[in-house]
Every structure is written in C-alpha cells, then in structure tokens.
C-alpha cells in the first residue's frame, strides 16, 4: 500500500472529524452526520490498507523462506 493512499485516507478521516465538530458547534445535524459518515468510510479504507500491508508481509515472508 502506498504512502500516498494512506495519507489520503487519513486526510479523509480528519476532514470528517472537522465536519463532525463544526456540526456539533453550530447545531448542524446534517453536517455532523456527514462528518461521521466520512470518518467511517475513511476507517474502512484504512482497515483495507492494513489488510493489504499484512498480506504483503506474509507474501514477502513466504518468498524469503523459499530462497
């Protein structure tokens, strides 16, 4: 998983957090819900990043054992 993809996913999470907080402060429930939704989507992407990294590590380990 590339660093750029991971950074984008983290940025999406942070944007969601900001929207949620602004929604809370302004009483804008729609913005607050949108922020939570964006955070959830970003967290799913980050979980996928972790799975891909783990799979890559396992693959690298297996390849190393064969040498």
């Amino acid at each position: 998983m590339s660093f750029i993809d991971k950074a984008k996913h983290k940025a999406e999470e942070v944007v969601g957090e900001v929207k949620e907080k602004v929604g809370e402060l302004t009483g804008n429930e729609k913005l607050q819900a949108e922020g939570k939704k964006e955070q959830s989507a970003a967290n799913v992407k980050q979980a996928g990043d972790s799975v891909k990294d783990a799979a890559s590590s396992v693959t690298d380990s297996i390849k190393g054992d064969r040498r």
Side-chain angles (χ1 to χ4, degrees):
M1 181 92 297
S2 78
F3 172 78
I4 293 172
D5 288 336
K6 289 180 183 180
K8 284 180 186 177
H9 300 158
K10 185 63 179 175
E12 290 172 6
E13 179 186 7
V14 171
V15 168
E17 289 174 2
V18 170
K19 284 184 178 181
E20 180 184 5
K21 294 298 179 191
V22 170
E24 286 177 17
L25 293 172
T26 62
N28 185 334
E29 292 178 5
K30 183 178 176 182
L31 185 61
Q32 188 176 356
E34 185 179 325
K36 287 181 180 181
K37 179 181 169 186
E38 288 181 14
Q39 287 177 70
S40 294
N43 288 335
V44 168
K45 290 176 184 178
Q46 289 172 345
D49 294 345
S50 295
V51 169
K52 288 177 185 176
D53 286 344
S56 179
S57 293
V58 169
T59 302
D60 291 345
S61 177
I62 291 170
K63 287 179 181 177
D65 290 342
R66 291 184 181 170
R67 293 181 187 167

